[in-house]
Amino acid sequence: MIEEILPAVFRWSAFSPAHRVELTAHAVGSDDGLRIFDPIVPPSEVALPRSSGDRVLLTNENHERAAAAWLAEGVPVWCSPEAGTTQPGIQRWGAGADANPDADPAPGWIRIPLAGGPPGETAFLLPKRSLMIFGDAVVNLPGRGLEILPDQYCRDSRLLRESLRGLPDFDHAMFAHGEPLLAAAGRRVASLL
């Protein structure tokens, strides 16, 4: 089931027995289409206001999830140059051998690399909405609450914490794993550091 948690901000999730965690996807409406983060089901199963400007953004290399189905439907899928994705057709932003330095798959969003997390870990900030989208760097799981990605899943937990210390403030946060924070989210994340 898809829920609209803020105006034009959608969320849906499903439990993954293989990962033993809830996987959450988000879509945020903009003037030129949706920005869809880490989708977990094919586009035919997601009842969202769709347009030709839609883009899928992966927050790290572990979140290909249903990327192949979105690509098959003609929706471009983007990730960090550092993400070791396996799906042919995924495009890369920024610098790197196979990246497109001139392309911006998410105008108005600020991509924030979070070194130390999984390869290609990137948070996305939409300043005009004070909205941050996290991949694995920060989670908010039922029964555990808000926390930095546990050390055993980090490439370098100290470096990840340093990366998170540099975040600007934001009001709302969405997570690839767990419940959203809809008030004072930046301060709550900063308190973990």
Side-chain angles (χ1 to χ4, degrees):
M1 177 179 89
I2 294 178
E3 62 179 320
E4 188 172 8
I5 54 178
L6 292 169
V9 178
F10 305 92
R11 173 185 186 276
W12 64 101
S13 62
F15 183 77
S16 170
H19 300 96
R20 298 186 319 259
V21 71
E22 193 82 11
L23 306 180
T24 308
H26 297 89
V28 180
S30 68
D31 292 341
D32 65 340
L34 293 172
R35 295 306 171 258
I36 305 155
F37 297 88
D38 303 328
I40 55 175
V41 296
S44 60
E45 297 176 26
V46 180
L48 289 170
R50 303 285 306 284
S51 80
S52 61
D54 295 348
R55 302 286 181 267
V56 168
L57 303 165
L58 305 180
T59 57
N60 67 56
E61 76 175 24
N62 298 324
H63 288 185
E64 282 186 50
R65 298 174 173 181
W70 290 81
L71 281 167
E73 293 286 324
V75 179
V77 177
W78 292 80
C79 71
S80 164
E82 290 80 29
T85 55
T86 59
Q87 178 63 46
I90 293 177
Q91 301 176 63
R92 297 175 191 283
W93 61 70
D98 60 349
N100 183 346
D102 298 322
D104 184 359
W109 291 82
I110 298 170
R111 293 186 305 269
I112 304 171
L114 295 174
E121 182 74 21
T122 305
F124 291 83
L125 175 66
L126 184 58
K128 73 178 185 180
R129 304 269 320 258
S130 195
L131 170 65
M132 183 77 76
I133 306 280
F134 285 102
D136 288 337
V138 182
V139 298
N140 192 24
L141 296 169
R144 293 183 63 122
L146 186 66
E147 64 182 335
I148 306 301
L149 183 66
D151 292 354
Q152 68 264 31
Y153 303 112
C154 296
R155 287 183 300 161
D156 183 332
S157 60
R158 182 192 56 76
L159 183 56
L160 177 59
R161 289 176 178 276
E162 286 177 22
S163 298
L164 290 166
R165 281 188 188 94
L167 292 178
D169 194 25
F170 48 94
D171 292 328
H172 316 294
M174 311 299 149
F175 306 95
H177 303 285
E179 297 296 317
L181 295 177
L182 300 177
R187 289 191 295 274
R188 292 187 62 190
V189 171
S191 74
L192 301 174
L193 303 168

